[in-house]
Amino acid sequence: MHSGNMLDKLKQSLRESPVVRMGDYSYFVHPITDGIPRMDPALLQEVVDRMMEITDLRCDLLVAAEAMGIHLVVPISLRTGIPYVIVRKRRYGLPGEVSVTQVTGYSRKELYINGLARGDRVVIMDDVISTGGTLRAIIHAFQEMGVEIADIVVVVEKGEGRELLERELGIRIKTLVKVDVREGRTTVLD
């Protein structure tokens, strides 16, 4: 197994990531999940390579939520030729636009889905799952729209959100690493 499989750069950078408080919520700050501090291209390469290794890419479209899924789907789209679509926080009013309410550990907002139709087979990619609020909203919307979910891949798992969502919806969510954030530190759980 080559070192890319070990995700050494990702794990080390997560251990070194600063932690900030937003109300009662401890939030780790990382280039994959926040775009700051600066992204080491070798780190992004390691993450993208691993995502491609574990993802079922037999799909029509890659889907990511704005904004921190964008840098994950773009390189994979370029490498595979699979088009992508971004679930946005802005309403466009295009025909067929679907609005969903996203509830996370620290906010509640509307998300807007465009460019997807019944029967489309998609892979959802995201940067982090903690409460599962964003993914839950998108998955529910896709199920109602008749969009088939081929795979779901998330880089960082924090808390119980993945397990809760898998049980609740009867789906599998693949993650690259699991972390715990406590006392101002991020720990990678192996």
Side-chain angles (χ1 to χ4, degrees):
M1 186 153 55
H2 64 77
S3 62
N5 279 351
M6 306 304 288
L7 295 168
D8 297 330
K9 287 178 176 51
L10 177 60
K11 290 176 182 177
Q12 188 58 32
S13 62
L14 282 163
R15 286 185 198 104
E16 294 168 358
S17 64
V19 174
V20 298
R21 300 224 19 112
M22 294 193 182
D24 296 333
Y25 195 81
S26 283
Y27 191 99
F28 66 92
V29 183
H30 187 270
I32 291 286
T33 58
D34 301 281
I36 56 170
R38 67 182 64 175
M39 175 73 78
D40 173 2
L43 168 62
L44 182 58
Q45 184 76 57
E46 179 185 84
V47 167
V48 166
D49 286 349
R50 184 67 181 132
M51 289 179 81
M52 288 186 64
E53 284 172 18
I54 68 170
T55 305
D56 178 357
L57 289 166
R58 293 170 299 177
C59 63
D60 303 307
L61 285 163
L62 305 173
V63 177
E66 181 180 20
M68 298 317 300
I70 295 174
H71 58 277
L72 302 171
V73 295
V74 169
I76 295 172
S77 173
L78 287 169
R79 282 167 58 176
T80 61
I82 301 168
Y84 69 87
V85 69
I86 305 300
V87 176
R88 295 294 311 267
K89 295 171 184 164
R90 173 183 297 133
R91 183 176 183 280
Y92 294 88
L94 293 171
E97 182 172 76
V98 175
S99 163
V100 296
T101 302
Q102 165 201 30
V103 181
T104 67
Y106 48 91
S107 68
R108 178 189 185 93
K109 51 177 95 69
E110 291 297 306
L111 294 173
Y112 300 91
I113 300 168
N114 282 286
L116 287 170
R118 176 170 299 282
D120 280 342
R121 186 171 160 84
V122 303
V123 169
I124 302 170
M125 296 184 162
D126 210 353
D127 61 319
V128 66
I129 181 170
S130 50
T131 63
T134 304
L135 264 178
R136 176 181 287 106
I138 292 170
I139 292 165
H140 277 306
F142 285 179
Q143 289 171 337
E144 285 176 28
M145 294 167 71
V147 170
E148 186 186 340
I149 299 167
D151 213 347
I152 303 169
V153 183
V154 181
V155 179
V156 181
E157 172 184 352
K158 175 191 174 206
E160 307 304 311
R162 179 192 58 81
E163 291 163 28
L164 292 170
L165 212 51
E166 284 185 336
R167 275 201 305 274
E168 176 190 326
L169 300 177
I171 52 164
R172 175 143 186 265
I173 300 166
K174 297 172 183 170
T175 60
L176 272 56
V177 293
K178 183 168 183 170
V179 300
D180 185 37
V181 179
R182 199 173 297 161
E183 289 151 26
R185 294 198 44 185
T186 304
T187 307
V188 176
L189 309 171
D190 278 324

